[in-house]
Amino acid sequence: MTMNYKPLIYSLYDIGAVKFGDFTLKNGQQSKIYIDLRLIMSYPDVLRAVSEAIWQQVNAFEFDRICGVPYTALPVATCISLQQNIPMVMRRKEPKLHGTRQQIEGAYEIGQSCLIVEDIITSGSSIIETANDLEIVGLKIRDVAVLINREEGGKENLHQHHYRLNAAFTLKEMLNTLMLHEKMAQTDHHIVNSLLHETA
Amino acid sequence: MTMNYKPLIYSLYDIGAVKFGDFTLKNGQQSKIYIDLRLIMSYPDVLRAVSEAIWQQVNAFEFDRICGVPYTALPVATCISLQQNIPMVMRRKEPKLHGTRQQIEGAYEIGQSCLIVEDIITSGSSIIETANDLEIVGLKIRDVAVLINREEGGKENLHQHHYRLNAAFTLKEMLNTLMLHEKMAQTDHHIVNSLLHETA
Protein backbone atom coordinates (compact mmCIF):
# COMPACT_ATOMS: atom_id res chain seq x y z
CA MET A 1 0.00 0.00 0.00
CA THR A 2 2.21 2.78 -1.30
CA MET A 3 -0.39 5.54 -1.21
CA ASN A 4 -2.18 6.79 1.84
CA TYR A 5 -5.60 5.19 1.59
CA LYS A 6 -6.46 5.74 5.25
CA PRO A 7 -9.18 8.40 4.62
CA LEU A 8 -10.77 6.21 1.95
CA ILE A 9 -10.69 3.09 4.13
CA TYR A 10 -12.22 5.01 7.03
CA SER A 11 -14.95 6.31 4.71
CA LEU A 12 -15.78 2.79 3.52
CA TYR A 13 -16.34 1.78 7.13
CA ASP A 14 -18.25 4.95 8.01
CA ILE A 15 -20.76 4.56 5.17
CA GLY A 16 -21.32 0.88 6.01
CA ALA A 17 -19.65 -0.56 2.91
CA VAL A 18 -17.47 -2.70 5.20
CA LYS A 19 -19.34 -4.46 8.00
CA PHE A 20 -18.31 -6.92 10.69
CA GLY A 21 -20.50 -9.61 12.25
CA ASP A 22 -21.95 -12.93 11.05
CA PHE A 23 -22.73 -13.08 7.36
CA THR A 24 -23.53 -15.79 4.83
CA LEU A 25 -21.73 -15.24 1.53
CA LYS A 26 -22.91 -16.08 -2.01
CA ASN A 27 -21.23 -19.49 -1.91
CA GLY A 28 -22.96 -20.36 1.39
CA GLN A 29 -19.82 -19.85 3.48
CA GLN A 30 -19.93 -17.97 6.77
CA SER A 31 -17.87 -14.81 7.06
CA LYS A 32 -17.12 -12.23 9.73
CA ILE A 33 -16.67 -9.53 7.09
CA TYR A 34 -19.22 -8.24 4.62
CA ILE A 35 -17.92 -5.86 1.99
CA ASP A 36 -20.61 -4.24 -0.14
CA LEU A 37 -19.10 -1.62 -2.35
CA ARG A 38 -22.40 -1.08 -4.17
CA LEU A 39 -23.12 1.43 -1.42
CA ILE A 40 -20.50 3.85 -2.77
CA MET A 41 -22.94 4.80 -5.56
CA SER A 42 -24.79 6.83 -2.92
CA TYR A 43 -21.68 8.74 -1.86
CA PRO A 44 -20.31 10.62 -4.90
CA ASP A 45 -17.14 11.67 -3.00
CA VAL A 46 -16.40 8.07 -2.02
CA LEU A 47 -17.15 6.87 -5.56
CA ARG A 48 -14.66 9.42 -6.86
CA ALA A 49 -12.03 8.41 -4.26
CA VAL A 50 -12.45 4.67 -5.00
CA SER A 51 -12.20 5.33 -8.74
CA GLU A 52 -9.10 7.46 -8.23
CA ALA A 53 -7.44 4.79 -6.04
CA ILE A 54 -8.14 2.10 -8.65
CA TRP A 55 -6.93 4.29 -11.51
CA GLN A 56 -3.68 5.13 -9.68
CA GLN A 57 -2.67 1.46 -9.93
CA VAL A 58 -2.57 1.54 -13.73
CA ASN A 59 -2.20 5.19 -14.73
CA ALA A 60 1.30 4.53 -16.07
CA PHE A 61 -0.23 2.45 -18.84
CA GLU A 62 -2.46 3.35 -21.78
CA PHE A 63 -5.80 1.78 -22.56
CA ASP A 64 -8.15 2.14 -25.51
CA ARG A 65 -11.18 0.95 -23.55
CA ILE A 66 -12.32 0.36 -19.97
CA CYS A 67 -14.77 -2.28 -18.74
CA GLY A 68 -16.24 -2.70 -15.26
CA VAL A 69 -17.15 -6.17 -14.02
CA PRO A 70 -20.95 -6.14 -13.62
CA TYR A 71 -22.59 -4.80 -11.58
CA THR A 72 -20.81 -3.19 -8.63
CA ALA A 73 -17.91 -1.86 -10.67
CA LEU A 74 -20.08 -0.18 -13.32
CA PRO A 75 -20.30 3.22 -11.56
CA VAL A 76 -16.52 3.02 -10.91
CA ALA A 77 -15.81 2.28 -14.58
CA THR A 78 -18.12 5.15 -15.60
CA CYS A 79 -16.34 7.53 -13.21
CA ILE A 80 -12.87 6.59 -14.51
CA SER A 81 -14.11 6.75 -18.11
CA LEU A 82 -15.41 10.30 -17.58
CA GLN A 83 -12.36 11.51 -15.62
CA GLN A 84 -9.74 9.97 -17.93
CA ASN A 85 -11.70 10.18 -21.19
CA ILE A 86 -11.38 6.45 -21.80
CA PRO A 87 -14.31 5.03 -23.80
CA MET A 88 -16.26 2.42 -21.85
CA VAL A 89 -17.59 -0.94 -22.96
CA MET A 90 -19.94 -3.10 -20.93
CA ARG A 91 -20.44 -6.82 -20.58
CA ARG A 92 -24.00 -8.07 -20.38
CA LYS A 93 -24.30 -10.99 -18.00
CA GLU A 94 -26.86 -12.63 -20.24
CA PRO A 95 -27.06 -12.39 -24.03
CA LYS A 96 -29.86 -10.25 -25.38
CA LEU A 97 -32.65 -11.87 -27.31
CA HIS A 98 -33.38 -9.01 -29.69
CA GLY A 99 -31.61 -6.21 -31.49
CA THR A 100 -27.86 -6.36 -31.99
CA ARG A 101 -26.96 -9.64 -30.28
CA GLN A 102 -23.67 -9.27 -28.53
CA GLN A 103 -22.24 -9.88 -25.12
CA ILE A 104 -20.08 -6.74 -25.17
CA GLU A 105 -21.85 -3.44 -25.63
CA GLY A 106 -20.43 -0.13 -26.72
CA ALA A 107 -18.06 0.83 -29.53
CA TYR A 108 -14.68 -0.87 -29.96
CA GLU A 109 -12.34 -2.27 -32.56
CA ILE A 110 -10.52 -5.58 -32.78
CA GLY A 111 -7.04 -5.36 -31.26
CA GLN A 112 -7.79 -2.50 -28.87
CA SER A 113 -6.49 -2.79 -25.32
CA CYS A 114 -9.06 -2.88 -22.54
CA LEU A 115 -8.59 -2.28 -18.83
CA ILE A 116 -10.84 -4.31 -16.52
CA VAL A 117 -11.87 -2.72 -13.22
CA GLU A 118 -13.48 -4.41 -10.23
CA ASP A 119 -14.09 -3.40 -6.64
CA ILE A 120 -12.74 -6.52 -4.92
CA ILE A 121 -11.07 -9.71 -6.05
CA THR A 122 -11.57 -13.05 -4.29
CA SER A 123 -10.93 -16.02 -6.62
CA GLY A 124 -11.04 -13.83 -9.69
CA SER A 125 -13.62 -15.99 -11.48
CA SER A 126 -16.01 -13.16 -12.44
CA ILE A 127 -13.06 -11.10 -13.67
CA ILE A 128 -11.87 -14.01 -15.81
CA GLU A 129 -15.39 -14.49 -17.23
CA THR A 130 -15.49 -10.82 -18.15
CA ALA A 131 -12.00 -10.98 -19.68
CA ASN A 132 -12.96 -14.03 -21.74
CA ASP A 133 -16.00 -12.26 -23.19
CA LEU A 134 -13.90 -9.20 -24.02
CA GLU A 135 -11.28 -11.38 -25.74
CA ILE A 136 -13.94 -13.23 -27.76
CA VAL A 137 -14.82 -9.97 -29.50
CA GLY A 138 -11.14 -9.19 -30.13
CA LEU A 139 -10.21 -6.86 -27.29
CA LYS A 140 -6.79 -7.37 -25.70
CA ILE A 141 -6.64 -7.78 -21.92
CA ARG A 142 -3.54 -7.44 -19.82
CA ASP A 143 -4.34 -5.33 -16.77
CA VAL A 144 -6.98 -5.73 -14.11
CA ALA A 145 -7.31 -2.93 -11.53
CA VAL A 146 -9.15 -3.49 -8.26
CA LEU A 147 -9.54 -1.66 -4.98
CA ILE A 148 -9.22 -4.61 -2.59
CA ASN A 149 -7.34 -7.89 -2.98
CA ARG A 150 -8.75 -10.47 -0.56
CA GLU A 151 -5.64 -12.59 -1.17
CA GLU A 152 -7.63 -15.73 -1.77
CA GLY A 153 -5.90 -16.90 -4.93
CA GLY A 154 -7.26 -14.27 -7.30
CA LYS A 155 -3.87 -12.86 -8.26
CA GLU A 156 -2.52 -16.33 -9.09
CA ASN A 157 -5.65 -17.28 -11.05
CA LEU A 158 -5.40 -14.10 -13.11
CA HIS A 159 -1.70 -14.76 -13.67
CA GLN A 160 -2.45 -18.23 -15.06
CA HIS A 161 -4.64 -16.50 -17.65
CA HIS A 162 -1.81 -14.02 -18.35
CA TYR A 163 -3.62 -11.12 -16.70
CA ARG A 164 -1.86 -8.83 -14.24
CA LEU A 165 -3.54 -7.80 -11.00
CA ASN A 166 -3.12 -4.21 -9.84
CA ALA A 167 -4.70 -3.73 -6.40
CA ALA A 168 -4.80 -0.59 -4.27
CA PHE A 169 -4.53 -2.64 -1.07
CA THR A 170 -5.12 -6.07 0.42
CA LEU A 171 -7.90 -6.99 2.82
CA LYS A 172 -5.28 -7.40 5.54
CA GLU A 173 -3.91 -3.91 4.89
CA MET A 174 -7.45 -2.57 5.09
CA LEU A 175 -8.08 -4.34 8.40
CA ASN A 176 -4.76 -3.11 9.83
CA THR A 177 -5.69 0.44 8.84
CA LEU A 178 -9.16 0.09 10.38
CA MET A 179 -7.59 -0.90 13.73
CA LEU A 180 -6.47 2.74 13.98
CA HIS A 181 -9.94 4.15 13.20
CA GLU A 182 -11.34 5.91 16.25
CA LYS A 183 -14.93 5.86 14.98
CA MET A 184 -14.97 2.07 14.88
CA ALA A 185 -17.41 0.33 17.24
CA GLN A 186 -15.71 -1.68 19.99
CA THR A 187 -17.41 -4.94 18.96
CA ASP A 188 -16.13 -4.42 15.42
CA HIS A 189 -12.68 -3.67 16.79
CA HIS A 190 -12.66 -7.06 18.56
CA ILE A 191 -13.71 -8.88 15.37
CA VAL A 192 -11.04 -7.14 13.29
CA ASN A 193 -8.43 -7.91 15.92
CA SER A 194 -9.26 -11.62 15.94
CA LEU A 195 -9.43 -11.72 12.12
CA LEU A 196 -5.94 -10.25 11.92
CA HIS A 197 -4.64 -12.86 14.32
CA GLU A 198 -6.35 -15.69 12.42
CA THR A 199 -4.82 -14.67 9.13
CA ALA A 200 -1.41 -13.79 10.53
CA MET B 1 -36.89 22.35 -27.58
CA THR B 2 -35.79 25.53 -25.85
CA MET B 3 -32.05 24.81 -25.79
CA ASN B 4 -29.85 24.31 -28.78
CA TYR B 5 -29.38 20.56 -28.90
CA LYS B 6 -28.23 20.53 -32.51
CA PRO B 7 -24.58 19.56 -31.77
CA LEU B 8 -25.74 16.76 -29.45
CA ILE B 9 -28.29 15.43 -31.95
CA TYR B 10 -25.67 15.49 -34.72
CA SER B 11 -23.26 13.61 -32.44
CA LEU B 12 -25.86 10.93 -31.69
CA TYR B 13 -26.21 10.31 -35.43
CA ASP B 14 -22.46 10.46 -36.07
CA ILE B 15 -21.62 7.82 -33.45
CA GLY B 16 -24.38 5.51 -34.72
CA ALA B 17 -26.68 5.82 -31.70
CA VAL B 18 -29.49 6.80 -34.07
CA LYS B 19 -29.82 4.62 -37.15
CA PHE B 20 -32.28 4.49 -40.03
CA GLY B 21 -33.27 1.40 -41.99
CA ASP B 22 -35.39 -1.67 -41.27
CA PHE B 23 -35.34 -2.82 -37.68
CA THR B 24 -37.34 -5.21 -35.53
CA LEU B 25 -38.06 -3.78 -32.09
CA LYS B 26 -38.34 -5.64 -28.74
CA ASN B 27 -42.11 -5.98 -29.13
CA GLY B 28 -41.72 -7.50 -32.61
CA GLN B 29 -42.84 -4.36 -34.41
CA GLN B 30 -41.01 -3.08 -37.47
CA SER B 31 -39.41 0.34 -37.27
CA LYS B 32 -37.47 2.62 -39.59
CA ILE B 33 -35.58 4.11 -36.65
CA TYR B 34 -33.28 2.34 -34.21
CA ILE B 35 -32.13 4.40 -31.26
CA ASP B 36 -29.43 2.75 -29.14
CA LEU B 37 -28.15 5.15 -26.54
CA ARG B 38 -26.05 2.43 -24.87
CA LEU B 39 -23.39 3.45 -27.39
CA ILE B 40 -22.83 6.78 -25.62
CA MET B 41 -20.88 4.94 -22.90
CA SER B 42 -18.02 4.72 -25.40
CA TYR B 43 -18.01 8.47 -26.05
CA PRO B 44 -17.34 10.28 -22.75
CA ASP B 45 -18.04 13.70 -24.33
CA VAL B 46 -21.40 12.55 -25.64
CA LEU B 47 -22.24 10.90 -22.31
CA ARG B 48 -21.49 14.20 -20.59
CA ALA B 49 -23.59 16.17 -23.12
CA VAL B 50 -26.55 13.77 -22.81
CA SER B 51 -26.37 13.93 -19.00
CA GLU B 52 -26.21 17.73 -19.10
CA ALA B 53 -29.19 17.95 -21.46
CA ILE B 54 -31.26 15.66 -19.22
CA TRP B 55 -30.22 17.52 -16.06
CA GLN B 56 -31.14 20.90 -17.59
CA GLN B 57 -34.79 19.81 -17.69
CA VAL B 58 -35.00 19.53 -13.90
CA ASN B 59 -32.17 21.65 -12.50
CA ALA B 60 -34.67 24.11 -11.02
CA PHE B 61 -35.78 21.40 -8.57
CA GLU B 62 -34.00 19.67 -5.71
CA PHE B 63 -33.60 15.94 -5.30
CA ASP B 64 -32.23 13.81 -2.49
CA ARG B 65 -31.52 10.86 -4.76
CA ILE B 66 -31.19 9.99 -8.44
CA CYS B 67 -32.03 6.67 -10.10
CA GLY B 68 -31.40 5.59 -13.68
CA VAL B 69 -33.76 3.13 -15.36
CA PRO B 70 -31.69 -0.04 -15.98
CA TYR B 71 -29.58 -0.47 -17.95
CA THR B 72 -28.96 2.19 -20.59
CA ALA B 73 -29.51 5.12 -18.24
CA LEU B 74 -27.09 3.88 -15.56
CA PRO B 75 -24.01 5.67 -16.95
CA VAL B 76 -26.14 8.83 -17.38
CA ALA B 77 -27.37 8.63 -13.77
CA THR B 78 -23.78 8.08 -12.60
CA CYS B 79 -22.57 11.09 -14.59
CA ILE B 80 -25.29 13.39 -13.19
CA SER B 81 -24.72 12.03 -9.68
CA LEU B 82 -21.00 12.85 -9.90
CA GLN B 83 -21.48 16.26 -11.52
CA GLN B 84 -24.30 17.43 -9.24
CA ASN B 85 -23.30 15.52 -6.10
CA ILE B 86 -26.65 13.76 -5.89
CA PRO B 87 -26.43 10.32 -4.23
CA MET B 88 -27.46 7.53 -6.59
CA VAL B 89 -29.66 4.52 -5.94
CA MET B 90 -30.10 1.62 -8.33
CA ARG B 91 -32.96 -0.71 -9.13
CA ARG B 92 -32.13 -4.37 -9.67
CA LYS B 93 -34.28 -5.85 -12.38
CA GLU B 94 -34.44 -9.14 -10.51
CA PRO B 95 -34.38 -9.61 -6.74
CA LYS B 96 -31.16 -11.01 -5.31
CA LEU B 97 -31.17 -14.45 -3.78
CA HIS B 98 -28.50 -13.83 -1.16
CA GLY B 99 -27.19 -11.06 1.04
CA THR B 100 -29.33 -8.03 1.77
CA ARG B 101 -32.47 -8.80 -0.24
CA GLN B 102 -33.81 -5.62 -1.72
CA GLN B 103 -34.87 -4.34 -5.08
CA ILE B 104 -33.35 -0.89 -4.53
CA GLU B 105 -29.65 -0.68 -3.81
CA GLY B 106 -27.69 2.13 -2.28
CA ALA B 107 -28.31 4.33 0.76
CA TYR B 108 -31.57 6.25 1.19
CA GLU B 109 -34.15 7.20 3.78
CA ILE B 110 -37.93 6.98 3.74
CA GLY B 111 -39.50 10.19 2.46
CA GLN B 112 -36.54 11.33 0.37
CA SER B 113 -37.27 12.65 -3.11
CA CYS B 114 -35.81 10.75 -6.03
CA LEU B 115 -35.33 11.86 -9.63
CA ILE B 116 -35.71 9.17 -12.29
CA VAL B 117 -33.61 9.50 -15.44
CA GLU B 118 -34.00 7.58 -18.69
CA ASP B 119 -32.60 7.99 -22.18
CA ILE B 120 -35.83 7.67 -24.15
CA ILE B 121 -39.51 7.29 -23.28
CA THR B 122 -41.95 5.31 -25.42
CA SER B 123 -44.93 4.03 -23.40
CA GLY B 124 -43.21 4.77 -20.11
CA SER B 125 -43.78 1.24 -18.74
CA SER B 126 -40.18 0.61 -17.63
CA ILE B 127 -40.08 4.04 -16.00
CA ILE B 128 -43.32 3.28 -14.12
CA GLU B 129 -41.91 -0.11 -12.98
CA THR B 130 -38.82 1.64 -11.66
CA ALA B 131 -40.91 4.34 -9.95
CA ASN B 132 -43.09 1.68 -8.30
CA ASP B 133 -40.06 -0.12 -6.85
CA LEU B 134 -38.66 3.18 -5.56
CA GLU B 135 -41.98 4.04 -3.94
CA ILE B 136 -42.25 0.60 -2.31
CA VAL B 137 -39.13 1.40 -0.27
CA GLY B 138 -40.47 4.82 0.67
CA LEU B 139 -38.86 7.16 -1.84
CA LYS B 140 -41.00 9.94 -3.27
CA ILE B 141 -41.19 10.28 -7.05
CA ARG B 142 -42.43 13.31 -8.90
CA ASP B 143 -40.05 14.07 -11.74
CA VAL B 144 -38.81 11.94 -14.59
CA ALA B 145 -36.13 13.41 -16.85
CA VAL B 146 -35.41 11.93 -20.28
CA LEU B 147 -33.47 12.92 -23.36
CA ILE B 148 -35.96 11.89 -26.04
CA ASN B 149 -39.75 11.72 -25.89
CA ARG B 150 -41.03 9.45 -28.66
CA GLU B 151 -44.52 10.91 -28.09
CA GLU B 152 -46.15 7.49 -27.97
CA GLY B 153 -48.25 8.01 -24.86
CA GLY B 154 -45.46 7.98 -22.29
CA LYS B 155 -46.13 11.47 -20.99
CA GLU B 156 -49.82 10.71 -20.47
CA ASN B 157 -49.08 7.35 -18.81
CA LEU B 158 -46.65 9.01 -16.40
CA HIS B 159 -49.21 11.71 -15.70
CA GLN B 160 -51.82 9.09 -14.75
CA HIS B 161 -49.35 7.88 -12.12
CA HIS B 162 -48.81 11.48 -10.99
CA TYR B 163 -45.31 11.67 -12.42
CA ARG B 164 -44.15 14.62 -14.48
CA LEU B 165 -42.20 14.09 -17.69
CA ASN B 166 -39.32 16.47 -18.43
CA ALA B 167 -37.87 15.75 -21.88
CA ALA B 168 -35.04 17.57 -23.65
CA PHE B 169 -36.71 17.07 -27.04
CA THR B 170 -39.21 14.94 -28.93
CA LEU B 171 -38.35 12.36 -31.57
CA LYS B 172 -39.94 14.66 -34.15
CA GLU B 173 -37.77 17.57 -33.05
CA MET B 174 -34.74 15.30 -33.31
CA LEU B 175 -35.70 14.22 -36.84
CA ASN B 176 -36.33 17.82 -37.92
CA THR B 177 -32.90 18.79 -36.62
CA LEU B 178 -31.25 15.85 -38.37
CA MET B 179 -32.73 17.02 -41.71
CA LEU B 180 -30.23 19.90 -41.51
CA HIS B 181 -27.25 17.62 -40.79
CA GLU B 182 -24.84 17.69 -43.71
CA LYS B 183 -23.05 14.49 -42.69
CA MET B 184 -26.24 12.46 -43.00
CA ALA B 185 -26.26 9.76 -45.68
CA GLN B 186 -28.70 10.44 -48.52
CA THR B 187 -30.60 7.18 -47.96
CA ASP B 188 -31.06 8.15 -44.30
CA HIS B 189 -32.18 11.61 -45.38
CA HIS B 190 -34.94 10.05 -47.48
CA ILE B 191 -36.10 7.86 -44.60
CA VAL B 192 -36.20 10.80 -42.18
CA ASN B 193 -38.06 12.88 -44.69
CA SER B 194 -40.74 10.24 -45.18
CA LEU B 195 -40.98 9.62 -41.42
CA LEU B 196 -41.62 13.33 -40.85
CA HIS B 197 -44.35 13.32 -43.45
CA GLU B 198 -45.97 10.17 -41.99
CA THR B 199 -46.12 11.65 -38.52
CA ALA B 200 -47.11 15.14 -39.63
Side-chain angles (χ1 to χ4, degrees):
Chain A
M1 194 159 70
T2 48
M3 297 284 302
N4 180 13
Y5 293 123
K6 199 191 276 187
L8 171 55
I9 289 170
Y10 286 10
S11 293
L12 291 177
Y13 176 83
D14 295 346
I15 67 172
V18 178
K19 290 195 182 91
F20 301 99
D22 292 298
F23 303 99
T24 307
L25 301 180
K26 278 194 246 196
N27 54 16
Q29 282 191 317
Q30 296 296 305
S31 176
K32 292 284 181 191
I33 316 176
Y34 184 67
I35 300 174
D36 180 6
L37 290 192
R38 282 165 306 194
L39 266 183
I40 64 174
M41 75 174 93
S42 303
Y43 302 87
D45 289 345
V46 180
L47 172 56
R48 259 187 293 267
V50 165
S51 303
E52 183 61 28
I54 291 174
W55 176 245
Q56 276 166 354
Q57 310 315 310
V58 289
N59 63 4
F61 314 122
E62 289 200 356
F63 305 100
D64 299 313
R65 292 293 182 271
I66 183 171
C67 182
V69 177
Y71 294 95
T72 313
L74 298 183
V76 170
T78 305
C79 185
I80 296 173
S81 166
L82 288 165
Q83 303 258 358
Q84 308 300 332
N85 277 310
I86 303 171
M88 182 165 69
V89 294
M90 217 182 265
R91 174 183 173 241
R92 294 181 77 89
K93 273 197 164 176
E94 283 142 57
K96 291 164 59 190
L97 294 175
H98 52 81
T100 51
R101 290 171 206 218
Q102 54 188 24
Q103 198 76 332
I104 303 299
E105 295 196 340
Y108 54 83
E109 284 168 32
I110 289 171
Q112 286 182 322
S113 64
C114 184
L115 169 68
I116 294 179
V117 298
E118 175 62 304
D119 54 340
I120 183 162
I121 179 168
T122 308
S123 71
S125 59
S126 55
I127 292 172
I128 290 165
E129 272 175 34
T130 298
N132 283 347
D133 281 348
L134 291 165
E135 286 180 336
I136 284 169
V137 300
L139 287 163
K140 297 214 178 303
I141 311 299
R142 168 135 201 215
D143 285 290
V144 175
V146 308
L147 186 70
I148 308 170
N149 177 8
R150 282 191 92 123
E151 295 186 293
E152 294 183 17
K155 185 174 184 167
E156 295 70 23
N157 282 340
L158 289 195
H159 194 76
Q160 283 191 345
H161 288 78
H162 308 286
Y163 309 133
R164 180 166 57 183
L165 179 65
N166 308 269
F169 43 83
T170 64
L171 179 60
K172 197 176 171 190
E173 286 170 331
M174 188 176 81
L175 296 181
N176 271 312
T177 303
L178 279 177
M179 287 295 283
L180 309 169
H181 188 21
E182 291 180 356
K183 282 199 206 162
M184 197 155 73
Q186 196 137 20
T187 49
D188 288 352
H189 206 278
H190 287 312
I191 297 173
V192 173
N193 195 38
S194 62
L195 282 168
L196 281 169
H197 283 85
E198 269 174 32
T199 58
Chain B
M1 194 161 68
T2 49
M3 298 282 303
N4 179 14
Y5 294 122
K6 199 191 278 186
L8 171 55
I9 289 170
Y10 286 9
S11 293
L12 292 177
Y13 176 84
D14 294 346
I15 68 172
V18 178
K19 289 195 183 91
F20 301 98
D22 292 297
F23 304 100
T24 308
L25 301 180
K26 279 195 244 199
N27 54 17
Q29 282 192 318
Q30 295 297 307
S31 175
K32 292 285 181 189
I33 316 176
Y34 183 69
I35 300 175
D36 181 5
L37 291 191
R38 284 165 305 194
L39 266 183
I40 64 174
M41 74 173 93
S42 303
Y43 302 88
D45 289 346
V46 181
L47 173 55
R48 258 187 294 266
V50 165
S51 302
E52 183 62 29
I54 291 174
W55 175 245
Q56 276 167 353
Q57 310 315 311
V58 289
N59 63 4
F61 314 123
E62 290 200 356
F63 305 99
D64 299 312
R65 293 294 182 271
I66 184 171
C67 182
V69 177
Y71 293 96
T72 313
L74 298 183
V76 170
T78 305
C79 185
I80 296 174
S81 167
L82 288 165
Q83 303 258 1
Q84 307 300 330
N85 276 310
I86 304 172
M88 183 165 68
V89 294
M90 217 182 264
R91 174 183 173 240
R92 293 181 79 89
K93 271 199 165 175
E94 283 142 58
K96 290 162 59 186
L97 295 175
H98 53 82
T100 51
R101 291 174 204 219
Q102 54 189 18
Q103 199 77 329
I104 303 300
E105 297 198 336
Y108 55 83
E109 285 168 31
I110 289 171
Q112 286 182 323
S113 64
C114 184
L115 169 68
I116 294 179
V117 296
E118 174 62 304
D119 54 340
I120 183 162
I121 180 168
T122 307
S123 71
S125 59
S126 54
I127 291 172
I128 290 165
E129 272 175 34
T130 298
N132 284 346
D133 281 348
L134 291 165
E135 287 180 336
I136 284 169
V137 300
L139 287 163
K140 296 213 178 303
I141 311 299
R142 169 132 200 220
D143 284 290
V144 175
V146 308
L147 186 71
I148 308 170
N149 177 9
R150 281 191 92 123
E151 295 187 291
E152 294 184 15
K155 185 174 185 167
E156 295 69 24
N157 282 340
L158 290 195
H159 193 76
Q160 283 191 346
H161 288 79
H162 309 287
Y163 308 134
R164 180 166 56 184
L165 179 65
N166 307 268
F169 44 82
T170 64
L171 179 60
K172 197 177 169 188
E173 286 170 330
M174 187 176 82
L175 295 180
N176 270 311
T177 303
L178 279 177
M179 287 295 282
L180 309 169
H181 188 19
E182 290 180 359
K183 281 200 207 163
M184 197 154 74
Q186 195 138 21
T187 49
D188 288 352
H189 205 278
H190 287 311
I191 297 172
V192 173
N193 195 38
S194 62
L195 282 168
L196 283 168
H197 284 87
E198 269 175 31
T199 59

